[in-house]
Amino acid sequence: VLDARFWRGQVFDVLGRNAEAIEAFKSLTMIAPDYRRILQVKVKLGKLLIKNQDVLNGRKILEEVITEAPESVEAGLASRELENAS
């Protein structure tokens, strides 16, 4: 079920349905904080929030990824998104 929610968010993102993608990813962070793809979810969510003018919350989520797993691929992606948002 969690993977289905993840892919639902991915599809909405690809289709440019940002509000629905944000909602799908936000729901995953709330109901499944230990989900195996939670770092990917947070990077996607942070990027989408920034893209939709919620820069403060987007940056906060991306910074959480870097803090939680500084050596991860996702932390590198989060750093890149933060640089692009500057």
Side-chain angles (χ1 to χ4, degrees):
V1 173
L2 295 177
D3 282 338
R5 287 178 185 257
F6 173 78
W7 288 108
R8 185 171 190 247
Q10 291 279 70
V11 169
F12 284 141
D13 184 21
V14 169
L15 292 175
R17 294 166 60 176
N18 296 335
E20 291 160 297
I22 289 169
E23 195 55 44
F25 290 134
K26 270 187 184 176
S27 73
L28 269 170
T29 65
M30 290 186 275
I31 65 168
D34 296 327
Y35 175 52
R36 64 187 175 92
R37 292 184 173 164
I38 200 66
L39 293 176
Q40 290 176 334
V41 169
K42 288 182 176 182
V43 171
K44 291 279 187 177
L45 179 56
K47 180 179 177 179
L48 283 163
L49 289 170
I50 290 169
K51 183 177 178 181
N52 285 276
Q53 309 308 312
D54 189 356
V55 177
L56 184 65
N57 286 319
R59 292 182 67 84
K60 179 182 170 191
I61 290 169
L62 293 172
E63 289 166 358
E64 283 177 14
V65 171
I66 295 166
T67 301
E68 289 173 23
E71 301 299 318
S72 68
V73 170
E74 291 83 2
L77 294 171
S79 293
R80 188 170 359 149
E81 290 302 328
L82 286 170
E83 288 173 14
N84 291 340
S86 298

